[in-house]
Amino acid sequence: MNAQLRKFLSDLSEKFWLLPGAMVFFGIMTAVWLVRLDRSGFVPKWLVESPWLYNGGGTGARTLLGAVASSTIGVAGTVFSITIAALSLAAGQMGPRLLRNFTRDRGNQFTLGAFLGTFSYALMVLRSVRTQNEGEFVPHVSLTFGILLAFVCVATLVFFVGHMAGRINVDTVIELVSEEVRTALERLTTKEAQSVPLITPAWHAATTIVDERRGYLQQLDSAGLADWADKNNATIRLLVRPGDYVFPGAPIALIVPSIDGAGAAIRRATALGSQRVSSSDLEFAVRQLVEVAVRALSPGINDPHTAMSVLDRLGAALCDVVPLHFPNGMFLRGTRIALIVPNTDYDGLTDTMFHLIRQNAGGSAAVLIRVLEVLTSVLSCEKDLKRVATL
């Protein structure tokens, strides 16, 4: 898939408004369909007069729908105002980068969508209600469904309070980010070691390709770029990897031999953004955990237990890596190298995990001891000699 399309879909999946917007649209369409059902006369009279459906008049219907609409939009505004205040406090303790875990949380999105969808539904049904002076029309089925939606909103409010109370808990946040690290490890590693070709290109004769764009490399269509290089009998060596910042006018790749259109092919295969994402950047997922520990070790917070919790998750991630292998970044087409991409290796991963914590924990013997305990535990299950030496 094209890198720009992947970036668009990735950005779209993390938008806070997507699920609430879909629920608002569903509420409007449901109101239109149920009002048509009421107008069609398909609903039998005995059902309308039964206690299971709303059987009041037009004035009562307008009062009921007005109460549902005003209460849902009012509660939604109050709840999310309180949420923003809670998130600002959480950002001070755990870091602003972790706020994206709250905004893309489906529970928060569903809660907002439930309130706004019910509000939109009530408004759409309200516009169809007519009193006796106007030629009475009361959509009984639509009003009954609106009452059910009001009860759903009550249940959603109870769910949301408990959900947010758990989400702003630091241990819950650490576990959520560690799950993201595990997912990134599964996606960006392999179960079988990749072989290294014996013949590599002579890079001293390579042509440098510069890029005038700026931003973090978020998406890389490595397969497409390797196919382009193979089609043109060339070998490309990227100088940046997903997560690196591309500086305007700086070299982004080398190519052997020089081919016209190489710069355009690289631009098509790469997508830049203003921030790092964890979809193709393993180190960024780890850095989110590390940031929680570093902030916990700051003098203003001074919470070594949180740092120890982070260290436990980092050690568990290294244990997950034991049977896995890191790609060597070489993309072969046949027996020749078509593309080389810098990649995260075991040394770089452990440096990202422990260096910042070690440097900021210089005054906390308990945290330094925990670092040694975690490394010892990982050593007990790691058999690769190079990784053992790194640990």
Side-chain angles (χ1 to χ4, degrees):
M1 189 186 300
N2 183 274
Q4 299 292 339
L5 179 58
R6 279 211 308 257
K7 179 179 183 298
F8 172 76
L9 294 177
S10 177
D11 292 344
L12 190 63
S13 66
E14 295 192 359
K15 295 297 184 183
F16 183 73
W17 55 265
L18 188 62
L19 180 58
M23 295 180 71
V24 168
F25 178 78
F26 176 77
I28 294 173
M29 291 296 101
T30 302
V32 172
W33 182 78
L34 288 179
V35 169
R36 284 187 178 180
L37 179 64
D38 282 306
R39 289 185 184 277
S40 66
F42 181 76
V43 182
K45 185 177 181 181
W46 64 266
L47 184 59
V48 172
E49 295 175 351
S50 71
W52 297 104
L53 292 184
Y54 175 85
N55 50 20
T59 303
R62 284 183 171 177
T63 304
L64 176 63
L65 290 172
V68 171
S70 60
S71 59
T72 52
I73 197 66
V75 172
T78 303
V79 165
F80 279 88
S81 296
I82 297 173
T83 302
I84 291 174
L87 292 183
S88 63
L89 295 176
Q93 181 180 3
M94 293 176 283
R97 291 177 184 84
L98 292 178
L99 288 183
R100 58 192 290 270
N101 293 300
F102 294 98
T103 56
R104 69 179 183 178
D105 179 74
R106 296 304 182 192
N108 297 342
Q109 296 175 9
F110 175 81
T111 302
L112 180 62
F115 283 112
L116 297 185
T118 302
F119 170 75
S120 303
Y121 175 88
L123 285 186
M124 291 299 294
V125 176
L126 180 61
R127 62 192 287 271
S128 67
V129 176
R130 297 292 183 268
T131 61
Q132 191 170 6
N133 295 333
E134 302 168 327
E136 187 174 26
F137 172 69
V138 180
H140 299 280
V141 176
S142 303
L143 280 160
T144 303
F145 190 74
I147 295 172
L148 292 176
L149 286 180
F151 284 115
V152 169
C153 287
V154 173
T156 303
L157 178 61
V158 176
F159 156 78
F160 180 74
V161 173
H163 180 73
M164 279 304 300
R167 284 288 178 167
I168 62 175
N169 183 284
V170 66
D171 288 325
T172 303
V173 174
I174 291 174
E175 186 60 30
L176 288 172
V177 180
S178 64
E179 284 286 346
E180 189 175 340
V181 172
R182 280 196 290 270
T183 302
L185 282 173
E186 293 175 359
R187 185 174 59 249
L188 302 176
T189 56
T190 60
K191 294 184 178 180
E192 300 293 335
Q194 292 181 301
S195 60
V196 179
L198 298 177
I199 301 176
T200 57
W203 296 110
H204 64 275
T207 301
T208 302
I209 300 175
V210 298
D211 196 335
E212 298 300 328
R213 299 175 298 169
R214 68 185 69 201
Y216 290 101
L217 180 57
Q218 292 184 346
Q219 297 290 340
L220 171 63
D221 183 12
S222 52
L225 187 57
D227 290 339
W228 183 91
D230 180 58
K231 181 180 179 181
N232 290 274
N233 295 318
T235 300
I236 298 176
R237 179 180 179 180
L238 287 182
L239 303 179
V240 295
R241 64 185 178 189
D244 287 348
Y245 193 86
V246 177
F247 295 91
I252 191 175
L254 303 175
I255 185 171
V256 178
S258 178
I259 301 292
D260 292 337
I266 292 175
R267 286 190 292 273
R268 287 194 303 269
T270 55
L272 308 186
S274 59
Q275 59 186 0
R276 298 176 71 171
V277 295
S278 59
S279 57
S280 56
D281 182 4
L282 176 58
E283 289 191 3
F284 176 69
V286 173
R287 286 181 186 276
Q288 290 185 101
L289 265 180
V290 173
E291 183 176 2
V292 176
V294 171
R295 282 181 172 268
L297 292 170
S298 64
I301 298 176
N302 192 21
D303 183 11
H305 294 289
T306 296
M308 293 180 189
S309 295
V310 170
L311 288 169
D312 292 339
R313 269 63 172 202
L314 293 176
L318 287 179
C319 290
D320 292 335
V321 173
V322 169
L324 303 175
H325 299 272
F326 291 90
N328 56 23
M330 296 184 181
F331 294 84
L332 305 181
R333 293 296 182 267
T335 58
R336 61 181 296 274
I337 301 175
L339 175 66
I340 300 177
V341 180
N343 215 336
T344 301
D345 56 11
Y346 194 82
D347 288 359
L349 182 64
T350 51
D351 287 349
T352 303
M353 285 182 171
F354 295 106
H355 273 336
L356 275 177
I357 298 177
R358 177 179 57 80
Q359 293 161 4
N360 286 271
S364 177
V367 176
L368 294 177
I369 291 172
R370 190 58 186 158
V371 172
L372 294 176
E373 291 173 348
V374 168
L375 293 176
T376 303
S377 298
V378 177
L379 278 169
S380 66
C381 58
E382 181 61 73
K383 306 302 179 185
D384 185 276
L385 296 181
K386 290 184 178 179
R387 294 182 178 182
V388 168
T390 296
L391 294 171

